[in-house]
Amino acid sequence: MAVMGKSKSVLILVVSFIVFSVLDLIDFLLCYVYKLVDFFIEAEWKPCYCSSGKEVITSSGKILVSEQGESKIVCLSSTKVQLEEISDTLYTRPSLVSEVSNLTVTELKRLKVDKTFVQSCEKIKKGGTVRSSFTVNSSIVEMLQGKMGRQLLHPIPRWSDCDCSFCNSWTSSCKETLFVRAEGPKEKVREDVLFIHGFISSSAFWTETLFPNFSSVTKSSYRLFAIDLLGFGRSPKPTDSLYTLREHLDMIERSVIEPHQVKSFHIVAHSLGCILALALAVKYPGYVKSLTLLAPPYFPAPKSEQAAQYMMRRIAPRRVWPLIGFGASMACWYEHISRTICLLICKNHRWWEFLAKLITRDRIRTFLLEGFFCHTHNAAWHTLHNIICGTASKIDTYLDAVRDNQKCKVTIFHGKDDELIPVECSYNVQTKIPRARIKVIEKKDHITIVVGRQKAFARELEEIWRNSSG
């Protein structure tokens, strides 16, 4: 059995190397294809992250500085200096072949091969994929040029995005706020609850599962807020946004906390939403009464590794198996291939939804399709890199702050069969917050941790809120 397992692992590695080497080439070619098509349809091409990093200081005074995996955009043209956090993984994603070459050079160093040869390899690396400790990326600066002046670089929607009324319902409203599904009493509110969905999902993940299963007491005592994050579902999908942590948090504040005068609330978050939940708990330490995290993506990076790059390799290991990991790798490593997938699936989601209903005879959970389809590539691409990867170096600080806030109750749920975010992530969180209670659900994965057990989970949440309030 051990031999068979080892053989299977080797086979997966070999097939993965071949498949992702081909994908590297395809993504390279698609870069030029999209430049031509964008120019032909929109009279300009969309800036991408394939170009090498270089010093760029635009006339509007916007600079991207990057040092040791930490990137910030410095805006000097406004009345104050603003910092927007950008992940280095956006523009530093070495191809699989180059990574193997780097590993080979490292191994040769370890074996003390000819010093001259190693030095020549290092020179090649410095002139190739390996970047200096200070870089300025032109594509990000290009995208920011319209942003600070509130001028869009591209039409809404773009030719490769869906133009249906559902995906673009936000354009008919003058309000630049998130779509919020709110339920509960208008008076005599006990406390509020904020639900934050995960990557390529929507508020329907909560409203179609948990909301109908809460007790009448809960519905009459708590205000329930489920949001579509910026770029997803029915929320705004600006083409000039970089979907940074600051932008996501600002939109949550403007859409829920400020207009509804939220003063005491609980947070329930899934996957990527856990990162936003932790950031909110740090920003509002006296307001947050409990944190319920489902499958939090927390991989502590070794001291010798850049946190963002390490996170990217953990959630997207460039392996063909399991399939959910293969999908994550496609979405994370390949800017133009992932755009093609969005073009084929998201732009034509109405047809895919119709076919799914026809084949399954309406048995499929249509709300999962809604969350999966209704986003733009720009939103998914930047949120994945700037939130999941880009905040990797800050998670430790957030967890330490939550640990020191003894008033905030922390509960973690994780599906034992989760192949995307392994159970070890929840235990990693517990090492930082010892009082956190972990509940591992047998035979459940990244999605079925909620879907399929919504009644039981609704009761568990109600108990958490009661105990936290008490």
Side-chain angles (χ1 to χ4, degrees):
M1 292 295 291
V3 175
M4 289 181 62
K6 188 174 183 180
S7 300
K8 183 180 179 181
S9 299
V10 172
L11 179 62
I12 291 175
L13 287 174
V14 172
V15 174
S16 298
F17 177 81
I18 297 172
V19 169
F20 284 98
S21 295
V22 173
L23 292 177
D24 286 339
L25 177 61
I26 294 174
D27 196 67
F28 174 78
L29 296 175
L30 283 175
C31 173
Y32 294 96
V33 171
Y34 279 117
K35 283 184 183 295
L36 291 174
V37 177
D38 288 344
F39 187 79
F40 178 76
I41 297 177
E42 299 176 346
E44 62 179 345
W45 51 58
K46 179 181 182 297
C48 67
Y49 297 98
C50 297
S51 57
S52 60
K54 60 181 179 179
E55 290 192 13
V56 177
I57 301 179
T58 66
S59 57
S60 57
K62 288 173 275 292
I63 312 168
L64 171 73
V65 295
S66 174
E67 186 171 6
Q68 296 180 349
E70 299 294 332
S71 301
K72 293 184 183 296
I73 290 174
V74 183
C75 176
L76 303 177
S77 59
S78 62
T79 56
K80 61 180 180 180
V81 175
Q82 294 183 344
L83 299 179
E84 292 283 0
E85 294 143 354
I86 303 299
S87 173
D88 281 1
T89 58
L90 278 168
Y91 51 89
T92 307
R93 301 183 314 280
S95 67
L96 191 60
V97 175
S98 68
E99 277 203 334
V100 172
S101 301
N102 291 340
L103 289 173
T104 303
V105 171
T106 303
E107 185 65 16
L108 290 174
K109 282 183 177 181
R110 191 180 68 83
L111 297 175
K112 297 181 181 179
V113 181
D114 183 21
K115 199 171 185 180
T116 306
F117 174 73
V118 173
Q119 288 176 347
S120 66
C121 290
E122 288 180 336
K123 289 180 180 179
I124 293 174
K125 286 173 65 181
K126 289 180 181 179
T129 59
V130 177
R131 309 194 184 274
S132 62
S133 61
F134 178 87
T135 62
V136 180
N137 187 266
S138 57
S139 59
I140 297 180
V141 175
E142 276 186 73
M143 294 187 68
L144 279 174
Q145 283 178 331
K147 179 183 174 186
M148 300 307 295
R150 304 304 299 171
Q151 297 175 349
L152 297 179
L153 291 174
H154 305 286
I156 300 175
R158 300 202 65 205
W159 71 268
S160 55
D161 296 331
C162 179
D163 58 355
C164 76
S165 58
F166 182 87
C167 292
N168 294 279
S169 58
W170 61 279
T171 58
S172 60
S173 173
C174 296
K175 294 182 179 180
E176 292 188 355
T177 55
L178 302 178
F179 172 81
V180 181
R181 171 76 177 273
E183 290 189 9
K186 295 183 179 179
E187 297 179 353
K188 296 182 180 180
V189 178
R190 182 176 179 180
E191 282 173 333
D192 298 314
V193 185
L194 174 63
F195 293 84
I196 308 176
H197 64 77
F199 186 58
I200 53 173
S201 185
S202 71
S203 57
F205 185 76
W206 309 111
T207 60
E208 297 293 330
T209 56
L210 295 177
F211 278 35
N213 289 288
F214 285 127
S215 66
S216 57
V217 175
T218 295
K219 292 180 180 179
S220 62
S221 304
Y222 295 88
R223 287 192 301 180
L224 310 175
F225 299 101
I227 60 173
D228 286 348
L229 289 175
L230 182 67
F232 298 88
R234 283 173 276 185
S235 284
K237 304 173 182 67
T239 58
D240 61 337
S241 175
L242 293 173
Y243 296 88
T244 61
L245 181 67
R246 179 192 296 273
E247 289 173 294
H248 278 287
L249 294 181
D250 285 349
M251 286 297 282
I252 293 174
E253 290 173 325
R254 280 192 296 168
S255 306
V256 180
I257 297 177
E258 293 172 1
H260 295 281
Q261 298 180 343
V262 175
K263 298 297 182 182
S264 176
F265 64 105
H266 307 268
I267 303 179
V268 182
H270 177 237
S271 191
L272 171 145
C274 296
I275 299 173
L276 300 176
L278 288 169
L280 283 172
V282 172
K283 191 168 185 178
Y284 297 94
Y287 289 12
V288 177
K289 300 303 179 184
S290 74
L291 275 176
T292 303
L293 309 177
L294 286 74
Y298 175 52
F299 297 95
K303 292 183 179 180
S304 59
E305 300 247 17
Q306 291 182 355
Q309 294 287 335
Y310 181 77
M311 172 66 85
M312 181 172 66
R313 290 195 300 273
R314 289 303 303 266
I315 64 170
R318 284 196 288 193
R319 296 287 183 268
V320 295
W321 192 262
L323 289 178
I324 193 170
F326 177 65
S329 299
M330 294 272 282
C332 197
W333 287 90
Y334 300 108
E335 180 178 3
H336 305 291
I337 289 177
S338 58
R339 185 182 178 187
T340 303
I341 294 172
C342 283
L343 172 62
L344 295 175
I345 296 180
C346 299
K347 185 177 177 64
N348 303 288
H349 70 88
R350 288 162 292 184
W351 289 102
W352 291 108
E353 289 172 1
F354 171 76
L355 289 174
K357 292 178 181 180
L358 185 65
I359 295 172
T360 61
R361 297 183 181 180
D362 240 348
R363 290 195 301 269
I364 196 167
R365 305 278 187 174
T366 54
F367 65 86
L368 292 178
L369 293 178
E370 172 191 314
F372 183 77
F373 289 139
C374 296
H375 63 272
T376 63
H377 172 255
N378 183 56
W381 176 256
H382 286 96
T383 298
L384 175 59
H385 284 277
N386 287 334
I387 303 301
I388 295 184
C389 298
T391 61
S393 61
K394 299 177 176 61
I395 298 298
D396 284 331
T397 304
Y398 294 160
L399 292 173
D400 289 341
V402 173
R403 178 196 61 206
D404 297 336
N405 178 14
Q406 296 295 331
K407 295 181 180 180
C408 179
K409 183 180 179 65
V410 181
T411 309
I412 306 171
F413 292 84
H414 213 122
K416 190 172 184 180
D417 296 338
D418 194 330
E419 294 181 318
L420 182 62
I421 307 295
V423 179
E424 69 176 270
C425 289
S426 289
Y427 288 108
N428 290 337
V429 173
Q430 191 182 48
T431 59
K432 298 290 291 184
I433 309 177
R435 73 174 185 278
R437 184 174 66 89
I438 296 179
K439 186 171 183 179
V440 178
I441 311 300
E442 298 287 337
K443 298 180 181 180
K444 298 298 179 182
D445 57 27
H446 200 66
I447 301 299
T448 56
I449 187 69
V450 174
V451 179
R453 63 178 301 270
Q454 50 263 34
K455 289 184 179 180
F457 188 45
R459 301 289 84 77
E460 290 166 336
L461 286 176
E462 290 171 339
E463 182 182 357
I464 291 171
W465 301 336
R466 284 195 303 268
N467 294 338
S468 301
S469 300

